[in-house]
Amino acid sequence: MGCGGACWRGSGVPGGLRRWLSSAAPAPRICVVGSGPAGFYTAQHILKHHGGAQVDIYEKLPVPFGLVRFGVAPDHPEVKNVTNTFTQTARSERCAYYGNVTVGRDVTVAELQQAYHAVVLSYGAEGNRVLGIPGEKLCGVHSARAFVGWYNGLPENRELKPDLSCETALILGHGNVALDVARILLSPLQLLRKTDITAGSLAALACSKVKRVWLVGRRGPLQVAFTIKELREMINLPGTRPVLSPADFTGLENAIKDAPRPRKRLTELMIKTALEKPGEKTVEVQAAAPREWGLKFQRSPQEMLPSADGTRVRGVRLALTRLEGSGDSARAIPTGDVEELECGLVLSSIGYQSLPLDPAVPFDAQRGVIPNSSGRVEGVPGLYCSGWVKRGPTGVIITTMNDSFDTAQSVLEDLQVGTLDVSTSREGFGAVESILRSRGVRPVSFSDWEKIDAAEVARGKAAGKPREKIVDPQEMLQLIGQ
């Protein structure tokens, strides 16, 4: 985006632009689709740096905050504190929230473009990558995304009934989501009871027989995608012991000498856990640990193996791999050898995936993103994107924040130079409201959400937890009198 964006991000708005912003120019009306971090950070930056802009945020669900509510693990409450900032943005007199509106179905992107000067798509990654191997549809095989949605109260996953009656679960993937899922499966109940995990999933986990979780990856220890904080939490999980094979880590000290510091520290922690001789006390504690987890490397899933009656998963056939190249670019090549791992639950954590929203929006199905340059959608003036649908499903909330500020900056620049024509006023929600009414859609306001929020917090207080999430959208709508 050149210096134009980066320079005045940190230094406030130049005087000339500030005068222009406070002049009598018509108020730009901007629409943001999606109320997760990407949507809220985009809105926040535009409102902060343009004194006249009005921003409307549309959300498919009645409730806001996207993956902060439905993705962040229940035992990571500190990560959810960003919702305080988002709430401030939503309460701004120049910002409005319209939940329970599915863009692409209830209102089209073309209709939004008629109603607003600019439309920013920030709707994230609703799908998950599939393995494309036999047996993927067997009972007992789920995406980690659906499992996370289930324990976090995502309405579409509330009916998931993962079979936790087996002793061994297998997670495919070596990212933070894989570790989150393993941690939830093995966490002592007294830890989970104090979180905002849903009542239904807590009841199911209370009856769980799972006591061993293997996390399987195609590549080696130097290519894992999880971060040190998540690994440390897993190593220190009460009542659980790590099972790392020393053979996977011997000789790695030399390989990481010149690695970047985060990779080096992460690998050192794995080496220490795999190789160190535990002291007597540790031996006693670990021997008594009723549960265990481990990392398996250089194994690629070939087939989910069915039970005798052909309905359930009983294991996974894995192809052993060797690595070609080194570092992040190393590729896993099958050696021809295979092995079978027995398990009764398989969770595939190989990545989220954005889906196309509307035929009018260009979409790169190969990469799973909207083709764009600094958030400007290619070939469609006035249309922008931010977050995972812009760059792919990678990174943490801070990555999305910077990415969204970058897109917001593009919008501000296009307003400044006149690429976005605001000389004709646009109706904004006024125009959309009549479209929605004609289609029988009733949006949920931010103050409606605050009623739902208060009810969840009250129910949680009664159960000794931060909130008790309502998982049925109909119940949410009844609560606010819809």
Side-chain angles (χ1 to χ4, degrees):
M1 199 171 69
C3 185
C7 290
W8 47 283
R9 188 165 305 148
S11 58
V13 183
L17 181 62
R18 200 178 294 113
R19 282 192 297 279
W20 175 79
L21 295 179
S22 57
S23 70
R29 286 187 176 268
I30 293 151
C31 156
V32 171
V33 178
S35 72
F40 265 108
Y41 280 127
T42 304
Q44 178 189 314
H45 195 82
I46 291 170
L47 291 164
K48 183 178 173 183
H49 293 289
H50 193 303
Q54 292 189 303
V55 181
D56 292 345
I57 300 173
Y58 290 87
E59 167 57 52
K60 180 176 74 167
L61 291 168
V63 294
F65 309 139
L67 280 187
V68 179
R69 178 178 167 101
F70 297 117
V72 174
D75 55 352
H76 285 172
E78 70 290 346
V79 181
K80 303 183 194 210
N81 289 338
V82 292
T83 58
N84 299 330
T85 314
F86 299 162
T87 297
Q88 279 184 307
T89 299
R91 284 178 178 160
S92 154
E93 57 200 26
R94 291 186 291 119
C95 184
Y97 167 84
Y98 301 105
N100 200 35
V101 177
T102 301
V103 172
R105 185 193 70 191
D106 301 336
V107 57
T108 66
V109 170
E111 287 166 335
L112 290 176
Q113 287 179 289
Q114 290 292 304
Y116 292 90
H117 294 109
V119 175
V120 187
L121 303 173
S122 313
Y123 62 87
E126 293 176 79
N128 53 274
R129 290 172 57 198
V130 293
L131 292 156
I133 61 172
E136 206 168 352
K137 296 273 188 283
L138 283 171
C139 199
V141 180
H142 306 278
S143 70
R145 186 191 188 286
F147 189 77
V148 169
W150 170 69
Y151 65 64
N152 270 333
L154 184 61
E156 70 187 68
N157 300 128
R158 70 186 188 276
E159 299 300 341
L160 194 80
K161 291 188 171 45
D163 184 350
L164 305 176
S165 65
C166 57
E167 289 197 350
T168 304
L170 193 108
I171 300 170
L172 298 166
H174 278 167
N176 280 339
V177 173
L179 280 189
D180 278 347
V181 166
R183 200 176 64 253
I184 296 297
L185 279 171
L186 296 175
S187 279
L189 277 177
Q190 68 266 26
L191 292 184
L192 294 179
R193 281 197 186 99
K194 301 187 185 103
T195 72
D196 67 1
I197 194 166
T198 63
S201 57
L202 188 63
L205 287 162
C207 304
S208 170
K209 301 276 188 292
V210 176
K211 61 180 189 184
R212 184 181 305 106
V213 176
W214 295 114
L215 296 105
V216 178
R218 287 177 307 127
R219 301 192 295 170
L222 296 178
Q223 285 79 34
V224 296
F226 51 71
T227 48
I228 195 161
K229 176 184 178 283
E230 279 68 20
L231 176 65
R232 197 177 285 119
E233 279 181 307
M234 202 67 211
I235 291 167
N236 296 331
L237 193 64
T240 309
R241 66 189 186 97
V243 181
L244 302 187
S245 166
D248 289 328
F249 297 93
T250 40
L252 276 194
E253 284 101 331
N254 286 334
I256 55 165
K257 272 203 182 99
D258 302 319
R261 189 164 176 265
R263 171 68 65 191
K264 195 174 180 178
R265 287 177 61 229
L266 176 67
T267 311
E268 283 167 351
L269 181 56
M270 285 191 283
I271 293 171
K272 178 171 176 274
T273 308
L275 304 182
E276 79 172 345
K277 299 280 179 283
E280 276 175 46
K281 195 163 169 47
T282 316
V283 170
E284 281 169 33
V285 171
Q286 292 205 337
R291 298 173 170 190
E292 62 183 25
W293 65 277
L295 300 170
K296 288 189 179 288
F297 300 102
Q298 292 182 232
R299 283 160 172 80
S300 181
Q302 268 193 337
E303 183 184 354
M304 305 291 175
L305 304 168
S307 54
D309 64 2
T311 59
R312 299 199 39 77
V313 70
R314 65 162 176 87
V316 182
R317 180 176 293 120
L318 301 163
L320 274 56
T321 66
R322 61 182 172 79
L323 293 188
E324 266 189 11
S326 61
D328 290 344
S329 58
R331 287 171 58 239
I333 313 291
T335 63
D337 292 328
V338 294
E339 71 173 25
E340 291 183 6
L341 258 183
E342 276 189 40
C343 59
L345 176 68
V346 179
L347 299 171
S348 163
S349 183
I350 57 167
Y352 289 26
Q353 191 171 37
S354 292
L355 305 172
L357 180 77
D358 186 305
V361 180
F363 192 79
D364 181 340
Q366 195 65 43
R367 292 173 54 227
V369 295
I370 295 171
N372 71 90
S373 169
S374 287
R376 296 176 178 93
V377 175
E378 281 178 16
V380 192
L383 192 60
Y384 302 81
C385 58
S386 70
W388 281 2
V389 78
K390 169 186 171 186
R391 70 169 195 280
T394 56
V396 290
I397 291 175
I398 195 91
T399 329
T400 293
M401 180 186 81
N402 290 324
D403 168 279
S404 303
F405 288 175
D406 171 67
T407 293
Q409 207 59 57
S410 294
V411 174
L412 293 169
E413 283 177 11
D414 292 351
L415 284 170
Q416 188 191 3
V417 300
T419 313
L420 285 175
D421 178 18
V422 291
S423 58
T424 53
S425 64
R426 297 282 170 101
E427 269 192 80
F429 181 67
V432 176
E433 187 176 24
S434 32
I435 292 169
L436 295 177
R437 196 181 299 120
S438 73
R439 290 172 190 162
V441 179
R442 293 177 68 179
V444 168
S445 70
F446 200 76
S447 59
D448 287 336
W449 148 245
E450 292 186 311
K451 287 177 198 156
I452 297 168
D453 178 49
E456 289 188 341
V457 170
R459 290 179 192 189
K461 198 171 182 185
K465 50 199 289 197
R467 72 172 61 238
E468 187 59 72
K469 286 180 186 168
I470 297 168
V471 298
D472 181 357
Q474 287 315 115
E475 191 184 338
M476 293 174 186
L477 297 177
Q478 278 167 354
L479 196 89
I480 57 172
Q482 279 206 15

